[in-house]
Every structure is written in structure tokens, then in C-alpha cells.
Amino acid sequence: MSEIIRMVVVLSVIAGFSAAALTTANIQLGPRVDAQIDLYVRGPALERLFHKPAKDVLGNKVVIDVDGVGIPVFYTLQDKVVSTLAIEAIGKGGFGGDLKLMVGIDLIKERQTGIEVVSHSETPGLGARIVEIAFRRQWQGLPIDTPVALTADGGAIDAISGASTTSRAAVNGTNSALDFVRERKAEILKLIAER
Amino acid sequence: MQQKFTDVLTAGLWKRIPPFRLVLGLCPSLAVTMSAENGLGMGLATAFVVTLSNGAISSLRNVIPAKVRIASYIVVIATLVSIVEILMKAFFFPLSEQLGIYIPLIVVNCIVLGRAEAFASKNPPFISMVDGFSVGVGYAISLTLIGSLREIFGAGTWFGHLVFGEAFEPMSFLVSAPGAFMTIGTLLALQNLFSRWRGEKFIQG
Amino acid sequence: MDLVYLAISATFVNNILLAQYLGNCPFLGVSKKLETALGMAAAVIFVSVLAATFTWMVSTYVLRPYGLEFLQTLTFILIIASLVQLVEIIMKKMSRTLYNALGVYLPLITTNCAVMGIALLIAKKQLPFIEMLVFACTSAVGYGLALVLFAGHRERLQISAVPESLQGTSIALITAGIMALAFMGFKGMA
């Protein structure tokens, strides 16, 4: 009997100790990890969207809480007025899983400035061509009040040949970002103003 | 004591060098050695885990009941691996992205559990840490060697620097999956040849 | 249709053993004979699917909602280790024949990185339930396929005159390399 108690006690002590160690490590280093993810994962996409070095825009970040999931929104200011937003959006239904996109929206001109792919796991040569500028260029200058659609669905975006699934995922992601901005614009601007 | 210390310290660097002499931990040796940098990073991460896990397990060796031995070892190792994971993400983010799921997979690397069971469970903490350190560093050296070979001939660079100049046509076969198997297979054969030439008996089977 | 692609990709194109390099230690250890390779393959498929299901549930319903992703490695390995123990005990009680066929391979599976690797890949891709099942199953089948094919090669190798220095693990790895080369041919498919 005492043998069993000893086994349980020793195991629980070890497990408790390791959980405590991990939690401490996570609390100590968590913010640093988040900053690194911003710099290396979102940074390159933001640089291209805003035409500014990543270091200048990464600080301009607010996180909007939607049903318990934090959606990061980056912004640039022009004469103290918010000019461009970049919203992280998930393009559901990609071929190799969901796409992670960054959608640029110019609030002054009320136009889209383009989309950037933060991460994807599409097939090389087909869906992976989503990162090519020839495909993404089609977003530049589109209005922000009408949903985007593929030409096959009566819209303006030519799908990547042989990868309509991926193209549609990108379109879905954009539309979710557009909806998000339309519904939450006041909230986003308020959060930015408070900073 | 002095004698044992030196013996243990050098064993991991030649007599037991993984993955060549001690044929364990092959998966990372194949998977992350596309470049010398990745190999070195993975090797050092493993060395860190195996040194500390040997130390921790050896200090606990009289407390842990024999029946839950393996379970306790796994918890200790998994904790250390998770800490390495967080550290890598915080300080070497691009490298940790490259190594991907192979960092958490250090948990199931047979070298770590193998050293815990074969050495740390029977020896005092200090010498166990020396053993872990020596095997870990041996592993890091091997991985860097494999990574260097594959990177130099497969991509024409070493730690990202051009080696042969622009005219060199890289054998990209070496950086792909089949190249990994063949590089290590050939290195093992060379190692066997060398051992036989020196008249040593080799442990590998 | 997407599920078919997922299945083909997991079995052949991204074969867990020959393209992702997972589970090599048992691969070299048990592939000397066709019979043992078949046993190991069956055990891996069985445990992988079970482990993937459990780790998927824990990571979707516990770890991710509460922001505990940093405990992923620890929980996954504990789930797999205890699952293997549990399966062994249940198998011993329920079916003696199944236990005799697969039992000896079970302890080896805890340290088989293919099982853990499949679980981690699923968590990384954040697959939904059905996709998760298909992915786990076909990945493990791909592993089994490579293992069994390879065992066939090795049986032949044992009766061939291999140079002394190349014998053992060395020639096995080079053979695996040639097999991986063949599997690379599937790359154009998906």
C-alpha cells in the first residue's frame, strides 16, 4: 500500500513541479515570443502592405476580441488620423488548411490596398502561387463596401489556374476582414484613439 | 575519480558518439540537417536537454520508485524540452520555425531517454551531467558535420556563406530526403571502415 | 474530394517516414523480417489513430481555448505513454491472439516519433475532426507501407554479398534513401 502511495506522491510532485516551471517560463518569456512572432511572421507582410520598415508599424497594434479570439489589427497614422488598417484574417478552406492573410484597407480613400499571405501550406506550383504578386495585385484599389468574388462567381478576381480552392479561400478571408471592419470600425478607431 | 571523469567526458565524443556509434536519434539527424546551422541548433538543443535531464534524473534516482521510473523520466524530459521550445521561440525565432515539430520531438529522441536509463539512473548527479554533456556535444558535432556536408555540396554554402563561388552547380539531391538517408549511410560506412582499419571492434550492429 | 487528396498526400507524397523522416529507430530495428515489420505496422496504425484522436480532443477542447499551448509537448507525450500502457493491458485481457501478435511492439511505440509526430502535425495544421481522422489513419498507413516494403528489401539484402564496412545500418540507410527517391516520384500527384 505504502508503495502505491509513494508512487502517486512522487509522480504528482514531479508533475506539479514541472507544470510550475513551465508556467513561469511561459509568463516570463511569453511577451517576448509574441514580439518575435510579430517581427518574423507578420513583419514582412506588413512591410509590403504599408511600405514602411516593420519596426515602425509593429508597435501600432491593437487586438480586438471577437468571441474569445484576439484579432490583431495594425494601423498607420497620417496627420494624426488613422489612414490604413491591416487586419489579420483567416482564409478558411485552403487546400492544405486555412490561409493566414493580412488585408490592407485604406480608410481615407475607402479602398483596399492589397492582401498579403502571412502563412499557408498549399501545394507548390499550384496553390502556393497565391504568394505571387500577379494574383494578389488584383485586390489593389477594390472598394471596401462590396464583397470580393472570383470571376467564376461573378466577381473581379481571376483565380489561380488549377487552384480555385486556394483562390476562394483567399477571397473568403478578405470578405471576413471586410465584414469585420464594417461591423467594428468604431470599436477599432476608439481603441486606437485611446493609445 | 579523475580517471572516470575523463573517460566519461571523452566517451560521448568518440566511443559512443551518436548517431554513428550509438545508433540512436536518427530522425533529427536526417530531418534537420539540411544546413549546418540547423544541425548545430538541433544538436545544442538536444545537448541542453540531455545534460539537464541526466542531472535531474540522477538527483532523483533514489526517490523515484522503480515502477513509475519511465513515466517520471518522461515528465522531466518533456518539461525540459518545453522550456527549450519556449527559449528557442523567444531568442532564435527563425531557427525554431525551421526546426518546427522536431523540437518537441526531442522528447521521443531515444538518446535522451537512453542516457537517463543507462547512465543517470545508476550514477551520481555530477558525473551523469558530464555524461549527458559529452553525449550531447558529440551529437551536436555529428549533426553539424552532416549538415555541413549536405549544405556545402547540396547548396554550395556553409552557414549561409558561399563556398564554391557562383559557378558551382549544387547537387540539390543532397538537401532532399533521399540525400539525407544516403549521406548518413555513407558516413556510417566510412566510420566502420576507419574503425576496422584501426583494428577496433565497433559497437554498432 | 479534398479528403482523397489529403489521404494521397499523407500516404505517398509526404510519407511520414521517407519524406518527414519520422520513426526511423524502429524502422531500422524491426525491418529485418517481413513478419515483424507487418506486426509493427499494424501496431503503429492502431496506436497512431487512437493517440491522434485523444491528443486532438485535448488540444482542441482544453489546451487551445485556455491558452495552454505551452503544455502541448508534455500532455501529448503523457497521453501517448499512458495510452500505450492502457492498450497493452486491455489487449492482454480481451484478446490473447491480438496481444500475441502486437503486444511485443507496443512498448517500442512510446518512443516512436511517428506517433508523436502525427499528433504534433495535426495540432500544427489545426485540422477539423474528420480531416484529423483521415490524416492520422493515412499517415500511419504510409508508415506501415514503407516499413513493409523496406522489410522486403532487407530480407533480400541479407543473402547478398554486401561489402563489410557497409553492412548493417549503413546499407539499410542507403537502401532507404533509394526508396525515398522512388517516393519522391509521387510529388507531382498532389
Side-chain angles (χ1 to χ4, degrees):
Chain A
M1 194 58 200
S2 70
E3 173 79 350
I4 294 176
I5 293 174
R6 186 160 162 238
M7 265 162 40
V8 173
V9 168
V10 169
L11 259 186
S12 332
V13 168
I14 294 178
F17 185 76
S18 60
L22 278 181
T23 316
T24 322
N26 192 53
I27 291 171
Q28 291 292 319
L29 292 168
R32 209 190 141 86
V33 173
D34 288 341
Q36 295 273 308
I37 293 176
D38 274 358
L39 180 60
Y40 286 102
V41 180
R42 297 181 178 131
L46 286 172
E47 268 180 11
R48 288 188 300 261
L49 267 184
F50 289 147
H51 309 293
K52 279 185 181 178
K55 282 202 172 68
D56 295 354
V57 276
L58 281 173
N60 295 351
K61 176 186 178 186
V62 287
V63 178
I64 312 287
D65 187 74
V66 180
D67 303 330
V69 187
I71 295 186
V73 176
F74 295 86
Y75 60 90
T76 49
L77 296 174
Q78 198 178 341
D79 303 329
K80 297 201 173 156
V81 178
V82 180
S83 61
T84 327
L85 293 179
I87 294 111
E88 188 165 286
I90 306 293
K92 288 225 183 299
F95 195 71
D98 293 344
L99 310 169
K100 208 180 235 181
L101 306 167
M102 196 70 84
V103 181
I105 288 174
D106 190 327
L107 286 179
I108 296 171
K109 293 184 194 143
E110 302 209 320
R111 295 276 154 183
Q112 296 182 37
T113 61
I115 60 164
E116 290 288 339
V117 183
V118 177
S119 66
H120 72 91
S121 36
E122 301 303 293
T123 321
L126 290 171
R129 286 175 56 206
I130 187 171
V131 300
E132 288 176 9
I133 185 68
F135 174 68
R136 291 183 294 109
R137 190 186 285 137
Q138 303 180 80
W139 266 259
Q140 290 169 6
L142 290 181
I144 60 171
D145 46 359
T146 40
V148 193
L150 295 180
T151 38
D153 305 328
I157 307 283
D158 286 324
I160 304 165
S161 57
S164 50
T165 319
T166 312
S167 313
R168 198 159 280 133
V171 166
N172 291 343
T174 314
N175 288 335
S176 71
L178 292 179
D179 290 345
F180 171 75
V181 171
R182 202 173 307 126
E183 285 161 21
R184 307 251 178 177
K185 192 172 168 188
E187 191 183 339
I188 298 170
L189 292 179
K190 190 168 149 258
L191 268 176
I192 295 174
E194 277 167 10
R195 281 166 61 94
Chain B
M1 182 63 207
Q2 189 64 39
Q3 183 59 36
K4 196 183 174 198
F5 174 76
T6 354
D7 279 354
V8 171
L9 188 64
T10 47
L13 301 178
W14 175 245
K15 216 172 84 198
R16 278 203 284 264
I17 187 166
F20 297 120
R21 290 302 188 86
L22 197 70
V23 189
L24 289 177
L26 271 175
C27 307
S29 340
L30 291 159
V32 302
T33 53
M34 264 93 75
S35 68
E37 193 194 342
N38 287 4
L40 183 64
M42 187 70 194
L44 290 181
T46 316
F48 177 84
V49 172
V50 75
T51 310
L52 291 183
S53 80
N54 261 13
I57 285 163
S58 156
S59 354
L60 294 172
R61 72 186 189 286
N62 296 324
V63 189
I64 298 175
K67 274 187 188 155
V68 290
R69 195 173 79 244
I70 301 291
S72 321
Y73 296 171
I74 287 178
V75 175
V76 171
I77 294 168
T79 311
L80 286 165
V81 171
S82 307
I83 289 175
V84 168
E85 228 182 317
I86 298 175
L87 282 175
M88 299 266 295
K89 268 198 194 133
F91 296 101
F92 306 99
F93 190 81
L95 184 65
S96 90
E97 283 289 287
Q98 291 252 311
L99 299 179
I101 63 161
Y102 296 100
I103 296 184
L105 282 176
I106 297 176
V107 166
V108 282
N109 190 323
C110 332
I111 296 175
V112 185
L113 202 57
R115 284 336 280 168
E117 173 75 1
F119 201 95
S121 60
K122 302 188 191 79
N123 289 286
F126 178 68
I127 200 85
S128 301
M129 283 181 80
V130 172
D131 173 75
F133 179 74
S134 131
V135 171
V137 169
Y139 192 55
I141 293 175
S142 309
L143 288 196
T144 318
L145 172 74
I146 302 165
S148 306
L149 281 175
R150 288 180 67 193
E151 193 186 341
I152 290 174
F153 295 107
T157 57
W158 193 55
F159 282 103
H161 301 294
L162 274 183
V163 177
F164 293 117
E166 297 294 335
F168 176 70
E169 187 64 49
M171 296 181 259
S172 42
F173 161 73
L174 279 177
V175 275
S176 65
F181 286 101
M182 292 205 189
T183 313
I184 297 185
T186 316
L187 282 175
L188 268 174
L190 286 176
Q191 187 263 126
N192 286 346
L193 193 67
F194 183 70
S195 301
R196 286 200 310 139
W197 172 69
R198 294 223 322 192
E200 284 178 34
K201 270 172 81 182
F202 44 94
I203 324 163
Q204 180 238 317
Chain C
M1 201 56 200
D2 285 358
L3 287 179
V4 177
Y5 280 123
L6 185 71
I8 291 175
S9 148
T11 324
F12 297 110
V13 186
N14 294 317
N15 186 287
I16 199 109
L17 182 76
L18 295 170
Q20 317 245 31
Y21 324 88
L22 294 172
N24 275 287
C25 299
F27 175 59
L28 294 169
V30 300
S31 62
K32 288 194 180 111
K33 271 173 142 174
L34 198 56
E35 200 183 326
T36 47
L38 274 170
M40 185 69 177
V44 167
I45 296 172
F46 186 64
V47 175
S48 289
V49 175
L50 266 184
T53 317
F54 276 93
T55 53
W56 182 86
M57 287 199 282
V58 169
S59 94
T60 322
Y61 295 116
V62 183
L63 296 184
R64 226 175 299 142
Y66 296 100
L68 294 172
E69 278 106 333
F70 63 96
L71 290 177
Q72 180 177 287
T73 314
L74 188 64
T75 39
F76 278 24
I77 187 71
L78 283 179
I79 290 174
I80 292 172
S82 38
L83 198 69
V84 169
Q85 291 271 315
L86 208 67
V87 168
E88 201 179 347
I89 294 169
I90 293 174
M91 223 182 233
K92 222 178 196 166
K93 285 255 153 61
M94 302 286 281
S95 155
R96 202 68 214 179
T97 30
L98 201 61
Y99 180 75
N100 287 340
L102 301 184
V104 281
Y105 306 103
L106 285 175
L108 282 172
I109 284 189
T110 315
T111 52
N112 185 337
C113 39
V115 177
M116 176 93 170
I118 292 173
L120 285 170
L121 280 174
I122 289 169
K124 198 176 168 215
K125 290 174 189 247
Q126 307 198 348
L127 295 176
F129 186 74
I130 304 288
E131 274 88 343
M132 177 279 292
L133 269 187
V134 172
F135 182 83
C137 192
T138 49
S139 292
V141 167
Y143 182 81
L145 180 74
L147 194 63
V148 171
L149 285 176
F150 188 59
H153 286 300
R154 278 190 96 173
E155 284 195 341
R156 291 289 296 272
L157 275 177
Q158 273 169 355
I159 49 167
S160 3
V162 178
E164 211 170 320
S165 299
L166 280 167
Q167 274 169 13
T169 320
S170 173
I171 191 71
L173 277 171
I174 293 176
T175 318
I178 298 172
M179 266 181 70
L181 204 58
F183 267 72
M184 265 177 92
F186 289 117
K187 273 238 161 87
M189 281 175 61

